[in-house]
Amino acid sequence: MSFEKDIALEGLYEIQETFEGGGMGLVHRAKHRVWNIEVAIKHPRREFLVAPKQITNFHSECSKWAEIGLHPYVATCFYSREIDGLPCVIAEYLPGGSVQDAIHRKELYKGEEDTCLASMLTIAASTAWGLARAHESGLIHCDVKPGNLLLTSHGIAKIADFGLAVSFRPNQIGTKASGLTVAFAAPEQIRGEHLSPSADVWSWAASMLAMFTGGVTWESGAACGAVLGEFLEVGGKAYRIPAMPEPFAALLGECFRFTPDARISNFGQIAERICRCHEECFGEPCAASKPDLDLISADSLNNRAVSRFDLGDIAEVHRLLDKALTVDPLHPESNFNSALLGYSSTRKVLQPFLEYLEQATHFDLGEFRP
């Protein structure tokens, strides 16, 4: 089986484009024939798969990412599976490319200066909200960098590629990461020490610094605090790039404190400060507002159920739909999918399903979904 263009892998994923610059892995843009959406398929290159444990680790890492569920500022991981002997992650496709691409091609800095600065602060806030969600889910990303911040067509950034992520629990000694990108890694990560969420804070701040300086001008992430200081000494502005606002510079300074415990480490607080900075600069709210997780929790569970249906894991589909209906008994999609599963086996439409939909239409008057 080939991953060539126009080939339908597993009869389900129609390959439309392959991105060759992926280093140890390859990424393909594909159309999911049943869902009728574009997805990203990512897998390691064959020459880098040398041990069965690598495949097990790959699926384990993808599972952690998938459990984050739907979130407006985290790229969705639907599931992982093996295709043609390769472990593949099937994830949300984001058409805007990466923040790294936007920096390198200068696309981030085109247009009026105020428009550019608003876009940069929106990227900063959206990625902070996304990392807040990852940390709430018990994951340290361990590889936050502009290349792993992907853009929607509307300029909102999402956290992607949790391939190096490690689990953590509050008040417990963190885990060591299995790899790193040196230019964005926190000092403790470079030293090979146990990590806390503060490591992601440093890497995120290094990514934001690269966005305002126009690229990486340092070799080691440990130097980022000093680089920020030098940048501010010359006015905090790079050629043809908006100046870094003072409140944002102060925030990055708190992220670059060398001792992990001394850093600001709550990404929710970081995101709120960026939103206030945006409002002070422009007199209007930031486009990357705080997400209402209660509203998207049933959506997320339903989405995961649909993903597991692709893999034929019907018991898990039922479990996730039941959980979604516990969160929101009138959730239209979960009710519909649950009824559809029942109909596929009994060829009957159950009366409770019709009653739920009737209630939902009255509860959300004018809402099109029910």
Side-chain angles (χ1 to χ4, degrees):
M1 187 181 294
S2 172
F3 279 49
E4 295 174 4
K5 187 177 179 181
D6 298 328
I7 293 294
L9 301 176
E10 305 292 313
L12 195 57
Y13 318 103
E14 189 176 309
I15 301 297
Q16 297 181 330
E17 186 177 6
T18 297
F19 303 97
E20 295 290 350
M24 293 180 66
L26 283 176
V27 179
H28 311 272
R29 176 172 63 90
K31 181 180 179 181
H32 192 296
R33 287 182 162 182
V34 175
W35 298 349
N36 198 32
I37 63 170
E38 288 189 329
V39 296
I41 301 177
K42 183 174 182 179
H43 61 80
R45 295 178 187 268
R46 293 185 190 276
E47 57 265 33
F48 292 109
L49 285 175
V50 295
K53 187 178 180 182
Q54 288 177 285
I55 296 177
T56 302
N57 290 343
F58 182 92
H59 289 303
S60 175
E61 290 155 1
C62 292
S63 177
K64 294 175 190 175
W65 181 6
E67 287 174 7
I68 293 176
L70 288 182
H71 191 277
Y73 308 125
V74 178
T76 302
C77 174
F78 299 114
Y79 50 78
S80 64
R81 66 186 302 176
E82 289 186 35
I83 302 175
D84 192 23
L86 289 170
C88 298
V89 58
I90 314 299
E92 176 182 10
Y93 175 73
L94 292 161
S98 71
V99 172
Q100 176 62 35
D101 294 335
I103 293 171
H104 179 69
R105 297 171 186 163
K106 310 298 181 187
E107 292 169 357
L108 191 57
Y109 315 117
K110 291 179 180 177
E112 296 293 327
E113 190 166 286
D114 279 358
T115 303
C116 295
L117 178 58
S119 297
M120 293 163 75
L121 291 177
T122 297
I123 288 171
S126 54
T127 51
W129 289 125
L131 287 164
R133 177 58 177 163
H135 290 180
E136 288 164 4
S137 301
L139 287 180
I140 305 173
H141 189 284
C142 297
D143 198 23
V144 179
K145 58 185 179 184
N148 286 338
L149 311 178
L150 302 184
L151 295 165
T152 69
S153 56
H154 301 292
I156 296 292
K158 297 192 177 192
I159 306 295
D161 202 343
F162 284 75
L164 295 181
V166 297
S167 301
F168 79 96
R169 292 181 182 177
N171 304 318
Q172 288 192 354
I173 295 175
T175 311
K176 295 181 180 180
S178 59
L180 76 165
T181 302
V182 176
F184 297 96
E188 64 272 21
Q189 189 173 357
I190 293 171
R191 293 193 297 265
E193 298 173 357
H194 294 279
L195 303 180
S196 71
S198 294
D200 279 349
V201 170
W202 184 288
S203 298
W204 171 85
S207 302
M208 298 304 103
L209 179 60
M211 187 168 64
F212 275 93
T213 59
V216 175
T217 60
W218 56 90
E219 292 185 4
S220 170
C224 285
V227 173
L228 174 65
E230 293 169 1
F231 179 64
L232 296 177
E233 283 178 7
V234 296
K237 187 180 186 327
Y239 181 61
R240 292 189 175 179
I241 297 176
M244 184 183 290
E246 288 185 11
F248 192 80
L251 174 62
L252 292 193
E254 293 177 48
C255 297
F256 285 140
R257 289 174 180 163
F258 223 73
T259 304
D261 290 344
R263 281 175 220 147
I264 180 171
S265 59
N266 185 310
F267 266 114
Q269 293 175 9
I270 290 171
E272 286 170 356
R273 285 177 60 176
I274 299 165
C275 289
R276 286 198 298 272
C277 176
H278 184 285
E279 194 148 2
E280 290 170 9
C281 289
F282 303 106
E284 60 184 30
C286 180
S289 58
K290 182 178 181 179
D292 188 334
L293 298 183
D294 289 335
L295 283 178
I296 63 175
S297 57
D299 281 338
S300 181
L301 289 162
N302 175 72
N303 185 73
R304 286 172 59 195
V306 172
S307 298
R308 299 309 297 181
F309 187 82
D310 248 22
L311 303 179
D313 191 354
I314 304 303
E316 181 67 0
V317 173
H318 280 292
R319 188 189 74 81
L320 290 165
L321 289 175
D322 288 346
K323 191 173 180 180
L325 291 171
T326 300
V327 172
D328 181 1
L330 299 182
H331 188 252
E333 288 86 350
S334 299
N335 272 294
F336 178 83
N337 288 328
S338 184
L340 191 62
L341 279 179
Y343 181 80
S344 66
S345 58
T346 66
R347 313 309 290 180
K348 293 180 181 179
V349 177
L350 300 180
Q351 189 62 30
F353 161 65
L354 299 177
E355 292 172 358
Y356 280 134
L357 278 194
E358 177 113 23
Q359 289 180 54
T361 58
H362 292 301
F363 186 77
D364 289 325
L365 197 62
E367 171 66 41
F368 76 94
R369 294 157 72 199

